[in-house]
Amino acid sequence: MQFDQSKCSVLKGFVTIKDGCAHVVPAAAVDLYFCSVSPGPCGGRLSTRTMLGRTLREVSAALKQGHITPTELCQKCLSIIKKTKFLNAYITVSEEVALKQAEESEKRYKKGHSLGDLDGIPIAVKDNFSTSGIETTCASNMLRGKGYVPPYNATVVQKLLDQGALLMGKTNLDEFAMGSGSTDGVFGPVKNPWSYSKQYREKRKQKSHCENEDSNWLITGGSSGGSAAAVSAFTCFAALGSDTGGSTRNPAAHCGLVGLKPSYGLVSRHGLIPLVNSMDVPGILTRCVDDAAIVLGVLAGHDPKDSTTIQDPVKPFVLPSLTDVSKLCIGIPKEYLTPELSSEVRSLWSKAANLFESEGAKVIEVSLPHTSYSIVCYHVLCTSEVASNMARFDGLEYGHRCDIDVSTEAMYAATRREGFNDVVRGRILSGNFFLLKENYENYFVKAQKVRRLIANDFVTVFNSGVDVLLTPTTLSEAVPYTEFIKEDNRTRSAQDDIFTQAANMAGLPAVSVPMALSNQGLPIGLQFIGRAFCDQELLTIARWFEKQVQFPVIQLQELMDDCSSVFENEKLASVSLKQ
Amino acid sequence: MAAPMLRLCCPGRRWALACIDGCSRHRRGAPNGCTSSRKRGQSSVAQQPFITAQKPRKGEHEWAAVVGLEIHAQISSKSKLFSGSQVHFAAPPNSLVSFFDASLPGTLPVLNRRCVEAAVMTGLALNCRINKKSLFDRKHYFYADLPAGYQITQQRLPIAVNGSLVYSFCAGKNRSQVINKTARVKQIQLEQDSGKSLHDDLRSQTLIDLNRAEGQLRVDANISVHHPGEPLGVRTEVKNLNSARFLAKAIDYEIQRQINELENGGEILNETRSFDSKLGCTIPMRDKEGKQDYRFMPEPNLPPLLLYDTESLPAGADPQQVIDIDRIREQLPELPSVTREKLVQQYGMLPEHSFTLLNEVGLLEFFQNVMKETRAEPKKVTSWVLNTLLGFLKQQNLAVSESPVTPSALAELLNLLDRKAISSSAAKQVFEELWRNEGKTPAQIVSEKKLELMQDQEALEQLCHAVMEGHPQVVMDVKKGNPRAINKLIGLVRKVTLSRADPTVIKEILEKKLAS
């Protein structure tokens, strides 16, 4: 694999580097959350409350200037985590670790030896990344049973810690990341913070007055829903997700966040408990594109422990400021205009295309002819790898082991029956069916061929001069949990991954950027798909778009004012937060 | 995970043809199933010629045996095939296990460069075609010593294919006839070893050792029998044979068992069997019952393994990142067949002797070191090394490196013999002394034990005279024309000289005296 920047040169001619400040969230908007004072990024000492709503870049600047200390920031985030416990975003809160890290970060700042932009920044990590000394569950009884504590850090986790980031905890997900709602984990579903936003509540009040306020809470999307909720609810500034078919971009779209799936091979998978090795990529969830770029800059690069990472050195990610899009060519894949697409998303999609066009970009319709085969092809490849990857969970070395000891085989069977949920077992069963000698050619090999065709579709389009593809991320905005569970996991995954998983099949970078609120007051995101290893260019375009659309900040003060009642309700729910 | 393994496959049919063309025809022996007339060449397993020939008896229907081998050879490397943990023989259980070896979730395989080089070199030595692109696959089965639930191997596109090994063996009465044969090698693949299961039947427990550096060689033999001209028979697989000797025994046993079974109206099941070395028989294995579907799948965490040659080497490539087949070819040591040919040419050595020299680890080097320091004839040296030295080593079950007699000491001894300072029987005595390893040189031993030959012609003549005087009857016999009588006189003279006189000199003196 090559990190070929020459292919991305279309942007090089006219970009200039400007100041590093993010332009997405005006200071005034931030204050809607906790604070009534708006001192601005270059003002005097800021209150920690103000800080929480800010972007990673802004808070990093504040830390460097001493407006706030890492410990203050950490404590504030911990208190929000406690307040928003009912969201079920975290499986494990690593309070002690975070405070200790904050203390060390503080010492460094005092000496003036900050490790970089992430020093002292609270982050969260999806609970399918190995964390040394911190329990890692994949939201499954299989690992939770005996409390699996990895003896090593995933490379991406280690890189964040090496930069001084504070690890707030491990976030909730669908069991082994198999799902698109963050509803199918052993710790229960994750609730979308937007369910409690002022924007959504006001719209709902207009429509109905009698419904139970909390029973209609929304799903976050998934499977990285815990990470999305954690960032969206201001408990941290960035979170790691994983993205196999859309698991980072989907919840990002539903939670009003930027969700980045880097190019396959740009970021190490070592330590990420795999779903589909050939498609998994560590994902990044942040409040703005700039923040995602900072985190990607830290994570990207060759890892000797992951042979599929690029060999070439990666340059630091500094996003040039794009002011002129007239030389850009935006592709609109016609196959993505499906009947299931909600009219609102559809109209925003076309609005976005118009925006580019009106600013001088060339916007053309393109064809990815094999798109319709993508989902079924993904199903075969995904379940096959799942069948293989899950084989190691046999109750012998780690994790859950049943009490049956008549024979090793009986122990395996019962352990796996008890340890995995229906979704995981179903995929293992399908996958093993596809891998059987008699089926291998007809299913697995065919699916691989189709995968090649799908990847070639993208190559053809990009070779024709298209710089980036613009597509919806999801069919619609987030739906209520009660609505979501009317369909089973498999149906949901097939539906919800429709726009996202082709990028995984082709290994391309893709980012979901929130565009606007729906009529219901819920976020809708659009997706940009770029050329392989042109992540920086992709993000540059995404940032331009982000700046144009001025997506509103989530207004959660109502929730916070009212949190005691929410907590009361929460006691009735069966979901418990493991700490 | 796993000690790196090289797997050489010579599956039944292909190997079979080589064997049938050669001498694997196997006739039903005497009713008791006598197998005593079989001979086989001894060498490393790749050269093992599985000859199982018996003289056909008139009127009996011939059987042909077909044998294919899957040879697992551990690569001599510092670390494992896919992890950085070390490889040591006899390390404490589970002391050399990395997170990857224990299959902790999230760990990934990283290919060991040294193992790839070893595989390429093996492929070149076995005249294989080296695949410039090879792939890794997962082979799935549940077993306690396979923590990932799959083994990484090279099923579809292995690193080397279509090789051959020409081997020779000695046949005939005095093993003096050298016969050349060719065994075909289907493929060579890099494969991670599974762990080791230790079954404790008493406590009905199985203990697992994930170190995996189990042994240097393990062979699975696929065996079937059929009548020549008829379709091949159903095969059985005898697993986990760990020495050439047991391999040979297991094959012999299994061929005979299958013949007996078929001739008694039974049938052969396609099954895996194990070899009981104590009982000398094969028995069905119980623990992997039923047909396995290994559900092979590409290993997604290892990109295709690309190899280069001088022509295809990308310009400016980092030598640490690429493997150049041509460079490995240059490093290939002299192959045994070439060395043997040289020995025959250079020293006039008998071919069968060249085999023995090469088959015993270190023996060739020992021989060459003796040659460097001695004026003795190569044939003499060969005889001493192969008969005397090897005989002593075998008797005490020692390796060449453990020999108490050094090449220099043997060279000095042979020099004494060469300039007739001692007799050959005295030389044997000196060798025995050297074997005791008391730090004495051959010259010291000769002088202490007074083993030097009598050089004093006059004294010898006197002794001969005295013997003739003392045995008039024997002298009479000689004179009467009994040709063997003189030997008796020689023997008598040697006895009084305490074997220190050269028999040819004695004979000359006696003949002269008898003629006068």
Side-chain angles (χ1 to χ4, degrees):
Chain A
M1 261 177 281
Q2 288 275 313
F3 183 61
D4 188 352
Q5 289 198 319
S6 64
K7 283 183 191 158
C8 317
S9 58
V10 67
L11 292 173
K12 284 185 181 163
F14 53 87
V15 288
T16 51
I17 296 168
K18 274 187 156 184
D19 66 284
C21 274
H23 306 277
V24 199
V25 186
V30 176
D31 298 331
L32 288 171
Y33 186 8
F34 289 118
C35 182
S36 53
V37 198
S38 172
C42 302
R45 187 177 164 80
L46 304 179
S47 81
T48 53
R49 294 188 131 203
T50 322
M51 282 300 151
L52 287 169
R54 292 186 176 267
T55 67
L56 192 159
R57 172 149 293 186
E58 287 170 326
V59 86
S60 177
L63 282 168
K64 282 173 193 158
Q65 287 158 24
H67 297 317
I68 186 172
T69 70
T71 306
E72 287 169 337
L73 197 57
C74 182
Q75 276 165 343
K76 199 65 208 171
C77 283
L78 285 168
S79 86
I80 311 259
I81 288 172
K82 280 166 196 159
K83 277 181 188 166
T84 59
K85 187 177 169 181
F86 65 94
L87 293 175
N88 206 12
Y90 287 82
I91 290 172
T92 303
V93 179
S94 46
E95 181 167 353
E96 279 179 31
V97 173
L99 284 169
K100 191 155 186 298
Q101 287 164 340
E103 203 178 298
E104 280 160 21
S105 172
E106 197 153 336
K107 282 182 202 158
R108 287 191 294 269
Y109 275 110
K110 273 182 186 156
K111 286 182 192 159
H113 295 151
S114 141
L115 294 170
D117 287 342
L118 292 186
D119 203 343
I121 304 285
I123 52 129
V125 172
K126 190 176 179 179
D127 205 22
N128 58 351
F129 286 93
S130 305
T131 42
S132 180
I134 299 172
E135 191 178 348
T136 300
T137 69
C138 287
S140 175
N141 272 328
M142 187 54 93
L143 287 177
R144 178 209 188 190
K146 267 199 288 185
Y148 171 66
V149 178
Y152 74 102
N153 277 324
T155 299
V156 284
V157 172
Q158 191 60 51
K159 282 187 168 186
L160 291 172
L161 297 181
D162 289 346
Q163 289 289 311
L166 317 180
L167 178 59
M168 308 310 289
K170 306 293 293 291
T171 60
N172 206 346
L173 65 154
D174 289 299
E175 182 161 335
F176 282 102
M178 296 182 205
S180 60
S182 301
T183 52
D184 282 329
V186 73
F187 299 101
V190 184
K191 296 179 177 181
N192 192 327
W194 283 85
S195 318
Y196 310 97
S197 70
K198 189 178 166 194
Q199 291 104 319
Y200 178 62
R201 297 217 156 184
E202 279 178 357
K203 297 276 181 183
R204 275 174 49 79
K205 272 177 201 160
Q206 291 163 14
K207 283 183 185 168
S208 71
H209 301 277
C210 51
E211 275 183 78
N212 180 351
E213 277 291 317
D214 199 48
S215 68
N216 251 340
W217 56 269
L218 309 155
I219 58 142
T220 52
S223 63
S224 312
S227 286
V231 178
S232 178
F234 304 100
T235 68
C236 61
F237 289 83
L240 291 184
S242 61
D243 195 313
T244 310
S247 281
T248 293
R249 289 160 287 161
N250 176 290
H254 285 329
C255 295
L257 299 173
V258 170
L260 172 65
K261 172 223 171 289
S263 296
Y264 184 85
L266 184 62
V267 178
S268 169
R269 292 178 293 112
H270 174 253
L272 166 61
I273 298 177
L275 176 56
V276 184
N277 297 287
S278 65
M279 301 188 208
D280 290 342
V281 184
I284 299 164
L285 291 132
T286 54
R287 278 172 224 147
C288 70
V289 175
D290 248 333
D291 291 357
I294 291 172
V295 178
L296 181 61
V298 168
L299 302 185
H302 178 66
D303 179 8
K305 291 175 182 146
D306 178 355
S307 307
T308 62
T309 50
I310 45 156
Q311 295 283 342
D312 311 60
V314 176
K315 287 172 193 162
F317 279 76
V318 180
L319 294 189
S321 176
L322 183 60
T323 50
D324 175 12
V325 293
S326 67
K327 288 190 181 100
L328 280 183
C329 179
I330 310 290
I332 309 291
K334 63 177 183 189
E335 289 81 4
Y336 281 50
L337 192 63
T338 63
E340 297 84 12
L341 186 62
S342 78
S343 58
E344 261 188 298
V345 175
R346 189 175 159 176
S347 88
L348 279 174
W349 184 20
S350 103
K351 210 173 148 189
N354 290 339
L355 171 66
F356 275 99
E357 202 160 36
S358 67
E359 293 293 319
K362 188 174 157 194
V363 179
I364 56 166
E365 185 184 271
V366 296
S367 175
L368 299 165
H370 297 95
T371 301
S372 62
Y373 307 108
S374 193
I375 284 287
V376 64
C377 167
Y378 175 79
H379 178 71
V380 174
L381 296 176
C382 169
T383 56
S384 299
E385 281 200 40
V386 163
S388 178
N389 286 331
M390 295 296 141
R392 71 186 58 211
F393 299 103
D394 57 11
L396 283 179
E397 290 84 15
Y398 39 76
H400 177 68
R401 187 194 291 183
C402 74
D403 298 328
I404 294 171
D405 59 357
V406 228
S407 72
T408 312
E409 286 73 20
M411 189 279 286
Y412 287 155
T415 296
R416 289 163 69 79
R417 172 76 184 76
E418 293 167 11
F420 294 135
N421 71 5
D422 290 350
V423 176
V424 178
R425 285 206 309 280
R427 290 200 193 185
I428 291 172
L429 215 57
S430 320
N432 277 320
F433 175 81
F434 298 137
L435 290 177
L436 285 177
K437 209 173 176 183
E438 70 217 62
N439 296 332
Y440 186 75
E441 284 290 323
N442 285 338
Y443 291 92
F444 191 84
V445 172
K446 270 203 183 129
Q448 274 191 313
K449 287 177 180 169
V450 174
R451 180 179 184 177
R452 169 65 62 192
L453 293 175
I454 290 165
N456 286 348
D457 281 353
F458 284 103
V459 173
T460 309
V461 163
F462 286 126
N463 283 347
S464 75
V466 168
D467 296 303
V468 78
L469 294 169
L470 173 63
T471 79
T473 309
T474 54
L475 289 165
S476 68
E477 75 272 69
V479 297
Y481 176 72
T482 48
E483 190 67 29
F484 185 81
I485 56 170
K486 283 178 185 165
E487 298 276 11
D488 67 10
N489 178 294
R490 199 176 127 194
T491 313
R492 279 294 177 198
S493 299
Q495 280 172 1
D496 298 341
D497 288 347
I498 184 162
F499 302 126
T500 46
Q501 44 84 11
N504 298 80
M505 300 265 241
L508 303 174
V511 61
S512 179
V513 182
M515 183 178 179
L517 296 182
S518 68
N519 291 333
Q520 286 200 81
L522 292 175
I524 290 175
L526 292 182
Q527 174 181 235
F528 293 92
I529 304 172
R531 291 190 173 103
F533 295 105
C534 294
D535 300 58
Q536 190 167 349
E537 286 64 26
L538 176 76
L539 289 175
T540 307
I541 297 167
R543 194 175 77 157
W544 178 89
F545 178 74
E546 176 187 61
K547 192 178 169 189
Q548 307 301 311
V549 296
Q550 294 288 322
F551 180 76
V553 165
I554 183 170
Q555 296 173 31
L556 282 177
Q557 82 271 37
E558 194 179 332
L559 161 69
M560 288 307 169
D561 296 343
D562 199 29
C563 60
S564 56
S565 68
V566 175
F567 292 140
E568 284 304 310
N569 288 339
E570 191 53 30
K571 281 178 191 166
L572 302 172
S574 59
V575 180
S576 70
L577 186 67
K578 191 173 160 50
Q579 291 205 31
Chain B
M1 169 173 344
M5 300 297 288
L6 265 191
R7 188 202 259 191
L8 289 85
C9 282
C10 326
R13 285 165 192 266
R14 314 194 64 144
W15 179 277
L17 290 173
C19 284
I20 290 169
D21 290 349
C23 43
S24 69
R25 266 161 225 264
H26 187 282
R27 286 198 51 103
R28 185 186 170 208
N32 63 359
C34 162
T35 58
S36 58
S37 68
R38 291 175 202 175
K39 293 197 171 166
R40 55 190 75 252
Q42 293 293 329
S43 97
S44 75
V45 163
Q47 297 170 15
Q48 188 74 25
F50 304 110
I51 309 132
T52 49
Q54 281 186 293
K55 276 189 181 175
R57 288 187 190 176
K58 276 180 190 172
E60 285 186 352
H61 198 14
E62 258 190 331
W63 285 102
V66 174
V67 179
L69 301 181
E70 194 177 298
I71 302 165
H72 302 249
Q74 188 190 321
I75 297 171
S76 161
S77 62
K78 287 192 189 110
S79 60
K80 292 175 183 166
L81 180 56
F82 294 124
S83 82
S85 54
Q86 299 211 315
V87 177
H88 278 309
F89 185 67
N94 296 311
S95 62
L96 305 172
V97 180
S98 71
F99 299 148
F100 175 80
D101 300 328
S103 296
L104 291 195
T107 52
L108 302 169
V110 178
L111 187 57
N112 182 336
R113 183 192 170 89
R114 153 78 194 133
C115 296
V116 175
E117 289 172 341
V120 171
M121 196 175 266
T122 308
L124 292 172
L126 292 173
N127 299 305
C128 289
R129 192 184 83 218
I130 307 296
N131 281 325
K132 286 189 186 159
K133 177 186 174 184
S134 63
L135 304 172
F136 291 91
D137 302 284
R138 291 181 179 178
K139 174 182 177 177
H140 298 89
Y141 60 90
F142 282 102
Y143 204 67
D145 59 20
L146 191 72
Y150 58 82
Q151 182 182 29
I152 304 176
T153 182
Q154 294 195 298
Q155 159 81 0
R156 295 165 300 159
L157 192 53
I159 192 161
V161 292
N162 295 341
S164 66
L165 173 69
V166 178
Y167 61 92
S168 312
F169 64 97
C170 303
K173 266 190 180 169
N174 301 313
R175 297 185 67 228
S176 57
Q177 190 191 354
V178 175
I179 298 173
N180 285 321
K181 290 285 164 200
T182 303
R184 292 192 232 173
V185 178
K186 188 189 172 216
Q187 65 185 61
I188 297 178
Q189 61 197 62
L190 282 161
E191 176 174 293
Q192 88 192 128
D193 195 8
S194 60
K196 185 159 66 176
S197 291
L198 301 159
H199 301 288
D200 180 351
D201 290 334
L202 212 62
R203 296 189 189 89
S204 58
Q205 278 185 342
T206 298
L207 305 169
I208 308 293
D209 180 6
L210 294 178
N211 281 357
R212 292 171 228 215
E214 282 182 41
Q216 307 201 324
L217 182 80
R218 212 176 66 241
V219 182
D220 302 334
N222 284 271
I223 300 151
S224 71
V225 298
H226 70 293
H227 296 302
E230 292 177 15
L232 297 176
V234 174
R235 65 181 171 82
T236 60
E237 184 178 14
V238 185
K239 306 237 359 141
N240 297 332
L241 297 158
N242 55 16
S243 78
R245 203 160 59 92
F246 288 158
L247 175 64
K249 279 191 175 177
I251 291 171
D252 282 348
Y253 177 87
E254 187 59 17
I255 289 171
Q256 198 56 51
R257 185 191 72 82
Q258 292 189 10
I259 292 171
N260 291 346
E261 190 73 36
L262 292 169
E263 295 200 337
N264 291 324
E267 61 172 340
I268 305 300
L269 301 175
N270 180 205
E271 62 184 357
T272 54
R273 301 176 72 87
S274 62
F275 180 65
D276 186 318
S277 56
K278 281 179 198 142
L279 299 175
C281 66
T282 67
I283 42 177
M285 282 173 87
R286 272 173 297 169
D287 50 10
K288 280 179 189 171
E289 268 177 299
K291 280 205 172 179
Q292 290 270 347
D293 187 326
Y294 291 121
R295 290 158 286 132
F296 283 101
M297 187 192 89
E299 166 57 66
N301 295 317
L302 290 168
L305 170 59
L306 300 179
L307 305 174
Y308 300 89
D309 54 22
T310 317
E311 270 180 35
S312 64
L313 203 65
D318 178 357
Q320 284 308 305
Q321 290 297 323
V322 294
I323 287 175
D324 181 351
I325 300 167
D326 290 327
R327 213 174 52 88
I328 294 173
R329 198 190 306 275
E330 286 163 21
Q331 293 165 359
L332 202 64
E334 186 175 277
L335 296 177
S337 59
V338 178
T339 313
R340 282 196 297 264
E341 185 57 30
K342 278 189 183 169
L343 289 172
V344 172
Q345 294 292 327
Q346 196 177 340
Y347 302 120
M349 193 180 284
L350 291 172
E352 60 264 36
H353 289 164
S354 71
F355 277 102
T356 319
L357 268 188
L358 262 79
N359 289 354
E360 207 63 46
V361 177
L363 198 59
L364 175 67
E365 201 189 354
F366 194 103
F367 169 81
Q368 284 167 333
N369 286 337
V370 177
M371 283 303 295
K372 273 183 215 157
E373 296 185 40
T374 184
R375 290 183 299 271
E377 286 288 306
K379 275 185 185 166
K380 199 87 180 166
V381 179
T382 308
S383 163
W384 272 83
V385 169
L386 293 186
N387 300 327
T388 316
L389 175 74
L390 199 55
F392 272 72
L393 289 170
K394 294 266 170 195
Q395 203 186 359
Q396 299 199 11
N397 205 14
L398 293 178
V400 176
S401 60
E402 295 167 313
S403 166
V405 179
T406 64
S408 301
L410 182 58
E412 189 188 335
L413 173 59
L414 293 179
N415 281 343
L416 290 172
L417 189 63
D418 187 59
R419 60 178 160 85
K420 296 194 185 322
I422 52 172
S423 68
S424 25
S425 58
K428 291 262 156 62
Q429 220 180 317
V430 174
F431 188 87
E432 278 168 36
E433 287 296 320
L434 285 172
W435 192 263
R436 277 186 215 139
N437 198 15
E438 285 165 353
K440 290 171 186 159
T441 67
Q444 283 171 331
I445 294 166
V446 167
S447 123
E448 278 175 23
K449 301 261 170 188
K450 298 195 166 50
L451 293 172
E452 59 279 313
L453 279 177
M454 284 183 69
Q455 305 288 350
D456 186 341
Q457 184 80 8
E458 210 169 302
L460 199 53
E461 279 180 19
Q462 277 173 11
L463 283 172
C464 286
H465 187 76
V467 167
M468 284 168 73
E469 291 279 289
H471 299 83
Q473 189 57 47
V474 184
V475 174
M476 280 297 287
D477 288 349
V478 177
K479 288 188 172 166
K480 276 182 192 163
N482 182 347
R484 278 184 292 177
I486 191 157
N487 289 343
K488 183 151 193 195
L489 285 177
I490 296 170
L492 289 165
V493 176
R494 286 193 70 194
K495 206 173 177 182
V496 296
T497 62
L498 303 166
S499 295
R500 286 161 58 201
D502 187 339
T504 51
V505 179
I506 297 171
K507 197 181 177 192
E508 272 170 30
I509 296 170
L510 285 172
E511 276 170 349
K512 208 165 70 188
K513 285 190 184 290
L514 287 163
S516 64

